[in-house]
Amino acid sequence: SNETISSVDLFDLKYEIGRIITGYVPLVATIVGTLLNPFNVYIYAQKTFESTSATFYLIFLTIADTLTLIQSFSFTLPYSIGFDYKVKAAFICKLFYFTAYYTCALSSWFEACVSFDRCLSISFIGSNRLLGKSQLKYTVVIVLVIYNFAFYAPIFIYYDLIDANTCYCTNSYYLSLLGWMDLFNATIVPFTVMLSSSIVSIGFLVKSGKRFGFKQHNSSKIRPSTISFTANNNSTTMQTRSNSIRQSNDASIPSSSASSYRVRTREEREFQFAFISITMNAIFFILNLPICFYYLYTSYVTMNSGDNLLLYGISYSLFYFNYIYKFFVYMIINTKFRSEFFKIKLVRFIFKTQ
């Protein structure tokens, strides 16, 4: 009948749309993120940011994000080109599922570290000295790496090749338990830390009368740096004048005023990073909510493969956007990050050739 033909056509359409979304949208996101994320590591490793303890965790967050994007190829390739490398060997099967859970959890925990670090930094005077200690920062990172490794290590035991085309969990009890364990470890607990830290940070920001680090002080006549682009012979020339301006300003104001300016500058930098952390927390919630809803919904409701793949493709694509957007947030909000980005030789060369 016509109704049967229509339902079949609708099923095929949903399945094809789901296949395209699942196979290509995350693939594009992975390529973009893999190209942009190294800029985050390079810039935050500069001396400009060494006094801000959060940048240490931002570097490891970027590394975890990039590893997550790289391992996502195995999710997208079967739907885009029909190649599934995780079924080629039992160890690859185990390693694939381990890294899929492990790197995502690390990313969530490192982002929680950034939020908690910013919360302490703007809430307690003098906390920067403690938060900036290398021993503390490396200890936190090592503990998180080892803890999450142990948390997901049973995957190497329970995941294996079921047949020549299937890599899956061989223990149904662990499979059902793993879903809830991962939801708790990689989403609920880190997001609780992010949310509570953001609430405290927002309250402190409002109470202090700051506007998230962007309010300019009328008494300050110093400008840390300026970058100007001037057209000359149809090319773009970038001139950085921060050193000369800083020297002339330091010479023209009393030492007390210079000290006051440095304090205000440090405060604004801390508040700016706090605003970045709050923004990242909000985006984390928005992009992770659909995939959590998908797994919760499909655990109780049985759908046909067309609807299932379509819903999975949309929620999965949004989930992986969580690992590429941070570069754009840094560029929009963090003025020093933007300034360092335009100092990179490759970026300067691109601007000159345009």
Side-chain angles (χ1 to χ4, degrees):
S1 63
N2 292 333
E3 293 182 358
T4 304
I5 295 175
S6 298
S7 62
V8 172
D9 291 342
L10 182 60
F11 170 83
D12 291 339
L13 178 62
K14 289 181 179 178
Y15 188 88
E16 184 62 19
I17 294 175
R19 186 191 67 81
I20 293 173
I21 294 175
T22 306
Y24 293 99
V25 175
L27 185 62
V28 173
T30 297
I31 295 173
V32 173
T34 305
L35 292 175
L36 293 180
N37 283 349
F39 286 113
N40 300 345
V41 175
Y42 175 79
I43 293 174
Y44 279 132
Q46 302 302 306
K47 290 185 177 181
T48 306
F49 298 99
E50 64 182 2
S51 61
T52 305
S53 55
T55 57
F56 182 84
Y57 302 112
L58 287 172
I59 290 174
F60 280 93
L61 171 61
T62 302
I63 294 173
D65 286 351
T66 306
L67 292 175
T68 302
L69 290 173
I70 292 174
Q71 70 84 28
S72 73
F73 274 112
S74 188
F75 278 114
T76 59
L77 293 181
Y79 295 100
S80 57
I81 63 175
F83 177 72
D84 190 359
Y85 65 78
K86 66 178 178 290
V87 298
K88 299 302 180 182
F91 178 75
I92 296 177
C93 164
K94 297 173 184 290
L95 183 63
F96 163 76
Y97 276 102
F98 172 79
T99 55
Y101 285 101
Y102 180 63
T103 57
C104 291
L106 275 182
S107 177
S108 299
W109 277 105
F110 286 141
E111 190 165 339
C113 286
V114 174
S115 301
F116 189 65
D117 178 278
R118 291 303 83 201
C119 176
L120 292 179
S121 180
I122 67 173
S123 301
F124 299 99
I125 299 175
S127 62
N128 283 332
R129 181 173 298 179
L130 173 63
L131 295 173
K133 289 186 176 181
S134 298
Q135 184 178 2
L136 174 63
K137 293 186 291 186
Y138 278 107
T139 299
V140 170
V141 170
I142 292 173
V143 168
L144 288 177
V145 169
I146 295 176
Y147 160 73
N148 282 282
F149 184 92
F151 192 90
Y152 296 105
I155 290 177
F156 285 103
I157 300 175
Y158 294 113
Y159 273 79
D160 207 341
L161 291 176
I162 297 177
D163 54 48
N165 299 312
T166 308
C167 169
Y168 208 57
C169 183
T170 57
N171 187 301
S172 59
Y173 174 75
Y174 179 73
L175 179 63
S176 60
L177 185 63
L178 179 61
W180 289 103
M181 289 171 57
D182 182 63
L183 179 65
F184 179 81
N185 180 67
T187 303
I188 295 178
V189 176
F191 183 71
T192 300
V193 176
M194 296 179 204
L195 181 62
S196 56
S197 299
S198 294
I199 291 174
V200 174
S201 299
I202 291 173
F204 193 86
L205 289 169
V206 173
K207 183 179 179 180
S208 67
K210 303 276 186 181
R211 288 189 176 275
F212 304 103
F214 292 109
K215 184 176 180 180
Q216 297 293 331
H217 297 274
N218 294 329
S219 60
S220 176
K221 297 181 180 180
I222 307 175
R223 296 294 180 266
S225 65
T226 58
I227 299 179
S228 62
F229 296 90
T230 56
N232 184 17
N233 296 327
N234 298 323
S235 65
T236 303
T237 305
M238 181 170 60
Q239 299 176 334
T240 306
R241 301 176 293 167
S242 58
N243 293 334
S244 60
I245 293 176
R246 187 181 296 110
Q247 292 173 359
S248 62
N249 282 323
D250 288 344
S252 62
I253 58 177
S255 58
S256 59
S257 298
S259 177
S260 176
Y261 166 75
R262 286 192 293 269
V263 171
R264 289 196 300 268
T265 301
R266 184 171 60 252
E267 288 178 351
E268 290 188 354
R269 182 176 64 248
E270 299 297 334
F271 279 69
Q272 196 173 78
F273 271 101
F275 184 47
I276 290 175
S277 175
I278 293 169
T279 303
M280 288 167 54
N281 295 166
I283 297 176
F284 176 90
F285 175 76
I286 293 172
L287 296 180
N288 279 270
L289 186 62
I291 196 71
C292 293
F293 170 79
Y294 167 81
Y295 284 117
L296 184 63
Y297 182 77
T298 54
S299 63
Y300 294 100
V301 178
T302 302
M303 297 186 297
N304 62 60
S305 57
D307 292 334
N308 192 311
L309 186 58
L310 180 60
L311 182 60
Y312 174 75
I314 295 173
S315 57
Y316 171 74
S317 298
L318 291 174
F319 172 74
Y320 273 94
F321 283 142
N322 187 51
Y323 303 102
I324 69 169
Y325 77 87
K326 298 179 182 70
F327 171 83
F328 303 100
V329 171
Y330 302 151
M331 285 292 291
I332 294 172
I333 298 177
N334 196 324
T335 54
K336 281 195 173 183
F337 182 94
R338 189 164 58 247
S339 176
E340 290 295 327
F341 176 75
F342 286 116
K343 290 179 184 178
I344 298 175
K345 291 183 179 180
L346 176 62
V347 177
R348 296 176 66 180
F349 174 79
I350 294 174
F351 271 94
K352 286 181 180 181
T353 56
Q354 290 181 350

